Amino acid sequence: PPEQLPLDPTKKTLVILGSGWGSVSLLKKLDTEDYNVIVISPRNFFLFTPLLPSCTTGTIEHRSIMEPLRHIIRHKKRAVKYYEAEATKIDVDRRVVKINDFSDVKGNVSETEVPFDYLVVGVGAENATFGIPGVRENACFLKEIGDAQQIRKKVMDCIETATFKDQTEEEKDRLLHMVVVGGGPTGIEFAAELQDFFEEDLRKWVPDITDRFKVTLVEALPNVLPMFSKALIDYTEKTFKDENISVRTKTMVKKVTDKSIEVEATQPDGSKVKESINYGLLVWATGNAVRGVVRDLMSQVPAQKNSRRGLAVNDYLVVDGTDGIWALGDCSATKYAPTAQVASQQGNFLARLFNSMAKTQAVEEELRSLDARLQASTDEAEKTLLTAEINAKGRSLSKVKQLSPFQYSHQGSLAYIGADRAVADLNWFGGAISSATGGELTYLFWRSAYVSMVFSLRNRILVLTDWLKTKAFGRDVSRE
Ligand code: FAD
Ligand code: NAD
């Protein structure tokens, strides 16, 4: 990487919280020459979440979808500071972020403060549990690399324990029952990957589990994947049926214990029936909830009083009721779904906004100095020249300032549904062409779309190699 400019005390400090889709898209396009940029995140890498479900079974190795933040910031013009820490409080009045450093191997936590001129909040969301008892203690989530690793280990653990000496029949059935709660894309893609793992590898290497291994998906609403068209919902439900994944719609989980979930199922006549379902592995994928640090920020700003899903922002992503604080991605509440597509477009938008703000400030500075020269000048010829220059600069300033508000352009929705099939609701050329497809060709499209979206060439090659390895040798069934 080239030599970088050092931090410049005359420049404004821009603090960016998070290293996910929103913050990293901003960082990639931001001209860091204009700011002293500090990135704060407990995760020193970017995670390509669309392929995270594939890591739970080892179709893809987890490091293939991680991109070190250091690779990204080392290529910026001006040095960017990175602190591996979690923001615990954003003090709006004092304009500082309180951060906790958890990286100490001995487990000591040290707290410090980072002042900012501008702040971008891109901390994402946490897993929703709706306060349902037992979820946090007993279920696995699927949001971070550690979650995928835990699931991978747990699946093999269940299998090895089920096949252990003198295991009872009932216990074997329980351990080999993999239950997924939530029929959104996360739950669907995970259930699909897990069933693929069973069909393509586990069945072969552990034949004793063939008749018992079972994946069940539980969804409270009448159907799965509500963001897809009716035809694709039907296609997904039919494919799941063919793959022997049992889908329990209109079934709401009410309580979780270490070995079972208690559900309330709505019958066709509208009556409700309570039931207990035993599980070996429970994966909880019921969407997003607001993080503590965001809730605390909202509580400091009266304009955020009525916002529930996250930080309310204006058309330029400025946090309502604040000055110099922006929010993007899953921690903000907009009319758009909390997706990577939205977060990355917002990141690109904020990069344009910050780049143009810096240009505006530079032109305004020049205008001030030209104006001072004009006031001081007594030479008519010089005055005419200066006036012309001021007018030209004024015109370029109004051009730079004309940044239109954020507008999301929806490219479509894609989801993997197992057995080499995917569903896609595509929206091209601003909606002029839209199509809903499902099947093997869509799966090839899904693969190529994701590979092209993976940020770096290095990661692209790693993902492709993993796919080839899985095709050639199957997935690894060892328990790490
Ligand atoms: P994130 O990407 O979650 O990043 C948040 C960042 O903030 C992380 O770096 C985190 O470490 C950091 N952070 C957390 N707390 C703090 C703190 N207190 N202080 C500082 N930093 C903090 N969307 C799609 O469009 N297409 C898909 O195919 C798709 N697949 C998905 C698959 C899975 C399994 C999951 C879980 C999500 C998927 N999504 C997909 C949704 C997408 O990942 C999110 O919408 C997207 O990650 C949101 O980006 P973000 O930058 O807001 O948050
Ligand atoms: P989601 O919010 O999309 O779906 C959660 C599902 O859980 C809902 O259908 C809800 O009805 C159900 N649910 C909630 N409580 C329940 C209960 N007690 N019992 C049974 N079911 C319950 O969540 P997600 O799938 O994690 O997705 C989060 C966001 O990430 C979404 O915006 C999604 O579009 C995006 N995402 C996209 C992709 C993709 O495009 N391929 C993949 C994963 C995630």
Side-chain angles (χ1 to χ4, degrees):
E3 275 291 299
Q4 288 181 303
L5 298 167
L7 294 189
D8 177 349
T10 67
K11 304 273 181 206
K12 297 259 196 260
T13 299
L14 164 60
V15 172
I16 301 174
L17 302 183
S19 52
W21 277 98
S23 299
V24 166
S25 302
L26 158 64
L27 194 58
K28 287 215 161 180
K29 294 256 164 75
L30 179 72
D31 193 345
T32 55
E33 208 178 346
D34 301 320
Y35 299 95
N36 293 320
V37 180
I38 301 176
V39 181
I40 298 167
S41 175
R43 196 167 88 184
N44 79 344
F45 55 89
F46 166 75
L47 175 63
F48 188 81
T49 48
L51 291 176
L52 190 61
S54 304
C55 292
T56 58
T57 57
T59 310
I60 288 178
E61 291 299 334
H62 63 273
R63 284 198 180 261
S64 305
I65 59 163
M66 292 159 64
E67 186 180 5
L69 206 54
R70 297 286 174 187
H71 287 191
I72 300 166
I73 59 181
R74 189 64 186 84
H75 280 99
K76 303 305 290 185
K77 266 196 209 140
R78 188 181 297 289
V80 169
K81 282 228 170 290
Y82 166 66
Y83 300 137
E84 187 189 58
E86 192 175 274
T88 51
K89 186 177 179 71
I90 295 158
D91 191 326
V92 178
D93 294 334
R94 291 178 51 236
R95 299 190 83 70
V96 296
V97 182
K98 287 192 180 169
I99 62 172
N100 270 355
D101 171 16
F102 296 99
S103 61
D104 185 281
V105 279
K106 290 189 183 129
N108 299 323
V109 178
S110 59
E111 198 185 75
T112 181
E113 287 185 352
V114 180
F116 62 84
D117 296 306
Y118 302 136
L119 176 71
V120 173
V121 188
V123 296
E126 59 179 43
N127 296 296
T129 65
F130 307 103
I132 297 170
V135 178
R136 288 217 182 275
E137 299 82 341
N138 301 299
C140 296
F141 296 107
L142 184 51
K143 206 171 201 25
E144 299 290 343
I145 280 293
D147 299 332
Q149 287 171 307
Q150 197 190 351
I151 292 173
R152 194 172 172 183
K153 209 183 254 180
K154 195 102 196 248
V155 172
M156 289 321 299
D157 197 16
C158 285
I159 289 168
E160 298 304 354
T161 314
T163 50
F164 198 74
K165 187 171 174 292
D166 301 334
Q167 197 59 274
T168 65
E169 300 298 300
E170 201 188 3
E171 192 61 355
K172 279 184 200 167
D173 281 336
R174 178 186 74 79
L175 285 162
L176 295 172
H177 192 198
M178 312 278 140
V179 174
V180 184
V181 181
T186 304
I188 289 286
E189 290 191 326
F190 169 66
E193 291 280 354
L194 190 54
Q195 188 68 20
D196 280 1
F197 186 28
F198 170 65
E199 290 296 342
E200 293 164 17
D201 302 287
L202 291 171
R203 199 188 252 290
K204 181 162 62 189
W205 301 116
V206 202
D208 341 5
I209 65 168
T210 306
D211 296 333
R212 291 179 198 264
F213 190 90
K214 191 168 139 206
V215 179
T216 300
L217 185 114
V218 180
E219 165 59 52
L221 296 176
N223 58 265
V224 298
L225 291 182
M227 67 287 293
F228 283 85
S229 63
K230 172 87 174 66
L232 290 182
I233 291 171
D234 292 346
Y235 181 75
T236 306
E237 290 185 349
K238 183 182 171 307
T239 306
F240 266 35
K241 208 170 173 190
D242 296 345
E243 291 171 33
N244 287 325
I245 300 173
S246 124
V247 178
R248 299 274 313 255
T249 50
K250 294 190 188 164
T251 306
M252 184 178 278
V253 179
K254 294 282 189 182
K255 192 178 163 195
V256 174
T257 69
D258 59 345
K259 291 184 178 147
S260 67
I261 54 172
E262 283 172 29
V263 302
E264 192 179 79
T266 307
Q267 303 299 302
D269 65 0
S271 64
K272 296 201 170 16
V273 176
K274 284 203 165 67
E275 197 186 327
S276 175
I277 302 172
N278 289 344
Y279 70 83
L281 169 80
L282 178 67
V283 172
W284 194 265
T286 63
N288 292 344
V290 181
R291 283 198 194 280
V293 65
V294 172
R295 239 181 294 123
D296 176 79
L297 171 57
M298 288 162 76
S299 72
Q300 294 173 53
V301 185
Q304 296 287 332
K305 203 177 73 201
N306 296 322
S307 189
R308 292 283 165 273
R309 282 180 303 117
L311 291 160
V313 294
N314 71 10
D315 289 347
Y316 291 84
L317 308 182
V318 176
V319 174
D320 285 347
T322 70
D323 179 25
I325 303 182
W326 288 260
L328 79 178
D330 286 4
C331 67
S332 63
T334 62
K335 56 183 177 227
Y336 311 114
T339 64
Q341 237 185 106
V342 172
S344 65
Q345 288 184 29
Q346 289 177 329
N348 292 341
F349 170 81
L350 279 191
R352 281 201 303 280
L353 182 132
F354 280 108
N355 293 345
S356 103
M357 251 168 53
K359 274 198 208 102
T360 307
Q361 279 159 5
V363 178
E364 278 172 349
E365 202 111 299
E366 280 176 65
L367 272 173
R368 268 194 296 276
S369 102
L370 285 170
D371 199 45
R373 277 173 60 199
L374 180 68
Q375 301 305 326
S377 172
T378 50
D379 180 340
E380 282 311 313
E382 189 189 30
K383 274 185 171 179
T384 315
L385 272 176
L386 283 170
T387 312
E389 207 176 327
I390 287 172
N391 286 340
K393 286 259 181 280
R395 278 195 299 276
S396 86
L397 180 64
S398 59
K399 230 187 238 163
V400 176
K401 273 187 159 173
Q402 266 170 17
L403 184 75
S404 37
F406 172 71
Q407 253 189 336
Y408 171 60
S409 138
H410 186 59
Q411 308 295 309
S413 307
L414 267 175
Y416 179 60
I417 58 169
D420 290 354
R421 285 176 202 182
V423 284
D425 256 334
L426 299 172
N427 211 352
W428 281 329
F429 306 109
I433 300 179
S434 74
S435 71
T437 64
E440 283 97 347
L441 266 181
T442 314
Y443 172 61
L444 289 179
F445 174 76
W446 175 87
R447 276 202 165 177
S448 49
Y450 279 11
V451 163
S452 70
M453 276 190 278
V454 170
F455 275 167
S456 72
L457 178 65
R458 171 182 159 275
N459 288 96
R460 233 170 264 167
I461 292 170
L462 291 176
V463 167
L464 283 170
T465 316
D466 286 345
W467 274 333
L468 285 175
K469 276 198 309 201
T470 303
K471 212 67 249 118
F473 308 117
R475 299 165 186 83
D476 189 341
V477 295
S478 15
R479 186 172 85 91
E480 284 174 84

